[in-house]
Amino acid sequence: MSTQTSPRLLVIGAGPAGYPAAFHAADLGMSVTLLDLDPHMGGVCLQRGCIPSKALLHIARFLEECREIEPIGVRVGTPTIELDRLRDWKQSVIRRLTGGLASLCAARRIEFIQGRAQFVSPDEVEIQTPHGTRRMPVDYALIATGSRPASLPGWPTSPRIMDSTAALDLPDIPKRLLVVGGGYIGLELGSIYTALGSRVSVVELTDGLLPGVDRSLVAPLQRRLGRRFEHIRLRTRVAAVMPEADSIRVTLEGPDGTQEETYDRVLVSVGRRPNSEQLGLDRAGIEVDERGFIRVDERRRTSHPRVWAAGDVAGEPMLAHKATYEAKIAVEAIAGRKVAYEPRAIPAVVFTDPEIAWAGLTQSEAERASRPVRIVRFPWSASGRALTLERTEGLTQWILEPESNRILGVGIVGVNAGDLLAEGALAIELGAVADDVAWTIHAHPTLSETLMEAAELASGHATHYLPSSRS
Ligand code: NAD
């Protein structure tokens, strides 16, 4: 699309899908209006998700390290936590980022409006702002309204029952915290509260933490959390919840029968739901699937020819970086470029300690599809760098195509796994084979060498590790 026509793009939602889309569209010469319910840009990720949780996980890691360094000869003493200052610092991180986005938005001459959008017809959107209502014709629109925490039906409302947003506000440090749901959010927030001093229990409906993630990657995390959390109850559900004056009573049903426990707070982290209601989608002929995700094609176009959707509202996985990527694809498509959303590798990181990170094909996916794969694993107990960090529980694995050793997937568990993952994602996107990584010089001593040595194992030997078949 030429810049002379300057098509008008309305972007609904200013999270990790919406604001990069708006910025990219403005950079391509479109005239852009960006809309959000919140007065600030950044969405859940920046304001109530990824960023505040990572700020607090940074503190949690420091607190855990203070504890763990004692046996090797450094006594730090018991750190004192000033919750008000901690909260203020976390908010200041958010403020700096939202401020930066506002400047970038203004510099691109994007119109940012706080308001709620609703389609009134396929051709018109009504925008309710704090100052009144206005209507906008739909030249092009991108829906990027994200998702919200799922709640459990029939549960009472109580300040003691928190979702991730409430938990990130750090109302206090509860003595006993129950986390319902052993997924990304439950384990990240459970780790934060454990480090701050809460006794944390997790109940998970399925038979393992982080369902769907390769068990070889989850095992080291589960072992560590097993020592740090008060209880990890699998195959367990909450049968009843009763808020009381100064606590909350919970009935748990699991393999050991029914148990009653009392907690100070409960965190519900049982997944997220797409924000596709209240947009008037039916009036615009925009279809959603049975779970509420907007149906999109490979260019992220909805069933409306001039409306696109990206991010959590357009389907799983609900990850900020996937949202940004597909939003930019959508904008490129609106600009008339020949593009499609076809990533070979979507990185995923669980920011616990140790972190779990993977991209591309997983072992569980290969098993479900009965797809033959070759898996090579390098244990961090054989890594000099891991030893110097006193963190040898990690593991790096490649999932390979058996005949060619082409890299199909990567999985890492260990400290900083999330930062190590990028090399794996790039290898998959470039169609690299194990030898490409094995014969790339990796700096010594770094954890990145575990990627190289795991790749060496594809030829049956690695410098610092002999597979059991040879030892
Ligand atoms: P999740 O899907 O990761 O985990 C939810 C867990 O709750 C699952 O293990 C599920 O089996 C369990 N569960 C469901 N109903 C239950 C019940 N009644 N009782 C006990 N357990 C129950 O969801 P989440 O942790 O809420 O996170 C939501 C989404 O947010 C994730 O899918 C992820 O995409 C995104 N997220 C990503 C990150 C990250 O990238 N680091 C961090 C947080 C959230």
Side-chain angles (χ1 to χ4, degrees):
M1 190 157 291
S2 84
T3 53
Q4 286 119 326
T5 54
S6 191
R8 179 147 210 98
L9 175 67
L10 171 66
V11 180
I12 307 171
Y19 81 75
F23 290 9
H24 192 49
D27 292 343
L28 294 183
M30 294 182 214
S31 145
V32 183
T33 298
L34 176 62
L35 189 71
D36 201 285
L37 294 174
D38 200 277
H40 303 289
M41 275 170 266
V44 170
C45 172
L46 201 157
Q47 302 184 61
R48 298 178 292 281
C50 323
I51 294 298
S53 66
K54 264 76 264 173
L56 295 177
L57 278 161
H58 165 64
I59 304 302
R61 169 115 181 246
F62 176 78
L63 292 170
E64 295 289 0
E65 282 179 347
C66 288
R67 205 176 44 79
E68 287 175 351
I69 208 160
E70 244 184 76
I72 59 172
V74 182
R75 188 161 305 151
V76 180
T78 310
T80 310
I81 294 156
E82 296 178 49
L83 213 48
D84 288 339
R85 290 180 68 182
L86 192 53
R87 240 184 255 121
D88 287 350
W89 167 72
K90 169 181 66 83
Q91 287 312 118
S92 76
V93 173
I94 296 170
R95 264 197 313 277
R96 268 183 282 166
L97 286 168
T98 51
L101 289 183
S103 313
L104 290 168
C105 188
R108 286 177 162 99
R109 305 195 188 292
I110 293 168
E111 180 190 29
F112 177 69
I113 305 175
Q114 185 194 1
R116 176 183 288 282
Q118 268 197 330
F119 285 87
V120 286
S121 75
D123 301 313
E124 204 173 32
V125 164
E126 184 181 88
I127 300 171
Q128 293 158 16
T129 77
H131 316 290
T133 300
R134 73 184 234 207
R135 288 195 172 199
M136 251 185 87
V138 176
D139 197 349
Y140 290 103
L142 175 80
I143 304 172
T145 45
S147 63
R148 62 186 182 282
S151 49
L152 287 167
W155 275 45
T157 335
S158 155
R160 294 190 180 277
I161 302 174
M162 308 184 287
D163 61 13
S164 55
T165 306
L168 284 167
D169 282 343
L170 288 181
D172 57 14
I173 302 173
K175 282 202 188 64
R176 285 192 89 204
L177 170 70
L178 176 68
V179 173
V180 183
Y184 282 73
I185 294 179
L187 299 187
E188 289 184 3
L189 282 169
S191 302
I192 291 170
Y193 276 94
T194 297
L196 292 174
S198 298
R199 283 155 58 203
V200 173
S201 294
V202 175
V203 290
E204 164 59 44
L205 206 53
T206 67
D207 60 2
L209 297 178
L210 295 166
V213 181
D214 286 351
R215 293 301 93 186
S216 53
L217 302 178
V218 175
L221 172 68
Q222 189 154 344
R223 270 196 295 277
R224 191 174 159 92
L225 293 182
R227 292 193 295 272
R228 295 297 291 133
F229 287 175
E230 188 174 23
H231 290 293
I232 297 176
R233 297 183 206 273
L234 304 175
R235 282 176 282 135
T236 301
R237 60 182 282 271
V238 178
V241 203
M242 185 69 71
E244 300 191 329
D246 53 3
S247 65
I248 182 155
R249 198 149 40 88
V250 171
T251 310
L252 303 173
E253 276 176 13
D256 303 329
T258 302
Q259 273 155 312
E260 271 217 355
E261 296 277 351
T262 303
Y263 297 93
D264 299 286
R265 286 184 185 271
V266 176
L267 163 67
V268 179
S269 48
V270 294
R272 299 183 63 88
R273 300 274 171 271
N275 289 328
S276 57
E277 308 93 344
Q278 296 174 24
L279 283 165
L281 296 183
D282 47 343
R283 289 194 287 267
I286 297 169
E287 290 170 14
V288 295
D289 71 11
E290 56 294 341
R291 295 174 62 200
F293 291 113
I294 297 179
R295 288 189 205 277
V296 288
D297 66 12
E298 73 289 350
R299 300 187 322 151
R300 288 8 224 166
R301 184 154 57 172
T302 69
S303 42
H304 182 306
R306 280 173 289 113
V307 179
W308 271 253
D312 288 6
V313 77
E316 304 260 17
M318 297 198 220
L319 297 172
H321 41 271
K322 168 263 190 185
T324 301
Y325 178 83
E326 66 179 348
K328 287 192 187 167
I329 293 285
V331 169
E332 293 269 313
I334 293 168
R337 296 186 177 165
K338 205 168 174 313
V339 285
Y341 173 79
E342 299 172 328
R344 281 188 185 163
I346 303 176
V349 184
V350 187
F351 290 91
T352 41
D353 184 17
E355 294 179 354
I356 299 183
W358 67 96
L361 186 70
T362 64
Q363 184 178 0
S364 344
E365 282 165 356
E367 281 166 6
R368 273 200 303 278
S370 306
R371 177 173 181 177
V373 288
R374 184 165 177 222
I375 302 177
V376 284
R377 293 199 172 101
F378 183 81
W380 286 23
S381 52
S383 152
R385 182 58 172 155
L387 235 93
T388 64
L389 297 168
E390 206 34 42
R391 294 301 298 268
T392 52
E393 78 275 23
L395 178 83
T396 298
Q397 71 181 25
W398 293 109
I399 306 218
L400 308 173
E401 192 174 58
E403 318 79 55
S404 63
N405 280 343
R406 189 164 67 92
I407 295 172
L408 304 174
V410 59
I412 311 171
V413 54
V415 283
N416 296 338
D419 290 313
L420 294 171
L421 185 66
E423 177 180 350
L426 186 64
I428 299 165
E429 285 292 350
L430 295 181
V433 293
D435 259 359
D436 292 324
V437 178
W439 288 100
T440 298
I441 303 175
H442 286 64
H444 177 74
T446 64
L447 293 170
S448 72
E449 288 169 295
T450 66
L451 287 154
M452 176 182 69
E453 295 225 33
E456 284 181 12
L457 285 169
S459 339
H461 46 78
T463 309
H464 298 98
Y465 180 63
L466 276 184
S468 52
S469 57
R470 289 193 57 207
S471 58

